[in-house]
Amino acid sequence: MRDDGTLDDPYAPSSDAADTEDGTSAERTTAASRLRAYVRDLTGRRRAQVALATGVVCCLGLTVVAQVCDEKPGAATRSGSPATSELAQRAEQQGAASRGLDRTAAAPAPSATATPADPDTAAPARKAAPARPTKPAPVAGLDEDQMENAEAIVRAGRKMGVPRRGLVIAVATAMQESNLYNVASGVLPESQNHPHQGVGWDHDSVGLFQQRSSSGWGPVDRLMDPEFATRQFLSALEQVPGWQGMRLTDAAQAVQVSAYPEYYQQHEWRATRVVDAIVPAGR
């Protein structure tokens, strides 16, 4: 500190003699100038090197980016953050899957031509089931109900083993007695409790053959069954000696004991046609 109270300048010359030493001061000035020049030169070189290095790195980065972009479009987008790259990859995979589904949907349907692996074609050929006998259409002026009753008569006679002639006689007899309808009796109300196709008033006669329960042909409910009534008639016919060689009307009369014995004969041709339609010749 100086005597006047001011601080000494640390950067001031230490003595007056220093100020007078021109040679020493000039040398210091020259050295300082050289030092500052060297520092500026060194700093400039370093800045140039950094700039050059930075430029080289940038050029290399641009070159790599350009090459990647040329090789695969959209790579610049995937070069971002890992999360962004992963999302882009997933989106691309989903798009590919969607395109695959579109191609699958647009693919042509497979041919319906059977292959050896198909069970229907690989299985051995099945034997054709025998054809069921067709229901004969009504003939000789009969309707559906009449034809069905004629079939019931023929079916019952064949079960009994009755020859064809007996079937014709039975059908002709039913044509005369009931016009081939299963008829109940107005005298026997109980007969109307069973399936029937009309009501008659000839005493207590019922069924296809107009058989009377009071004469011993059987219970009323059984006589209303076409099959049972047929068996009753044919069983009685087979008890007539020589019935197969008789005229149809005589054979029928021997069983029915009708007041009009000749009326049965008029139905022979129709009865023959009906039986032939139900059971063709040779069967």
Side-chain angles (χ1 to χ4, degrees):
M1 178 178 294
R2 296 179 182 179
D3 293 338
D4 58 1
T6 61
L7 294 175
D8 293 333
D9 185 1
Y11 300 102
S14 60
S15 64
D16 295 337
D19 295 332
T20 58
E21 293 177 357
D22 294 336
T24 304
S25 177
E27 291 177 358
R28 290 179 180 176
T29 301
T30 301
S33 298
R34 290 176 179 177
L35 178 60
R36 285 194 297 271
Y38 176 76
V39 169
R40 285 195 302 270
D41 183 59
L42 180 59
T43 302
R45 289 180 181 180
R46 289 182 178 178
R47 289 179 179 175
Q49 291 176 354
V50 171
L52 179 60
T54 303
V56 171
V57 171
C58 292
C59 291
L60 292 176
L62 291 175
T63 303
V64 172
V65 170
Q67 291 179 352
V68 173
C69 291
D70 290 340
E71 292 177 358
K72 192 170 185 179
T77 304
R78 290 194 297 272
S79 63
S81 63
T84 304
S85 177
E86 183 178 356
L87 291 176
Q89 291 178 359
R90 291 183 180 177
E92 184 177 358
Q93 292 175 357
Q94 292 178 357
S98 176
R99 291 192 297 271
L101 291 177
D102 293 341
R103 288 194 296 271
T104 302
S111 175
T113 305
T115 62
D118 293 338
D120 291 340
T121 56
R126 299 184 181 91
K127 294 183 179 179
R132 294 183 179 180
T134 57
K135 189 178 182 63
V139 296
L142 303 184
D143 60 23
E144 293 286 346
D145 291 336
Q146 292 172 308
M147 195 67 180
E148 288 180 1
N149 289 330
E151 288 182 71
I153 293 173
V154 172
R155 185 166 54 249
R158 285 172 63 83
K159 288 181 180 179
M160 296 174 63
V162 175
R164 195 180 194 87
R165 178 64 176 171
L167 304 179
V168 174
I169 294 173
V171 171
T173 301
M175 285 180 174
Q176 175 58 35
E177 295 291 348
S178 64
N179 198 21
L180 269 178
Y181 290 117
N182 195 23
V183 180
S185 173
V187 179
L188 296 174
E190 61 176 301
S191 65
Q192 301 176 33
N193 296 330
H194 304 282
H196 58 281
Q197 297 162 326
V199 177
W201 298 90
D202 183 12
H203 304 290
D204 57 348
S205 302
V206 297
L208 291 175
F209 295 91
Q210 289 293 281
Q211 296 158 329
R212 301 177 64 181
S213 178
S214 60
S215 300
W217 285 100
V220 174
D221 60 334
R222 301 299 304 279
L223 293 175
M224 290 298 297
D225 177 14
E227 184 174 351
F228 177 82
T230 300
R231 289 200 303 267
Q232 292 297 84
F233 174 82
L234 291 176
S235 294
L237 178 64
E238 289 183 320
Q239 299 301 317
V240 177
W243 65 272
Q244 296 188 47
M246 294 180 178
R247 291 191 309 155
L248 183 145
T249 192
D250 294 337
Q253 176 62 13
V255 176
Q256 295 296 104
V257 190
S258 172
Y260 309 97
E262 293 295 328
Y263 283 10
Y264 299 108
Q265 190 64 41
Q266 63 182 327
H267 303 291
E268 183 172 4
W269 72 271
R270 297 177 64 218
T272 301
R273 285 196 59 190
V274 170
V275 172
D276 289 344
I278 299 171
V279 185
R283 294 179 57 184

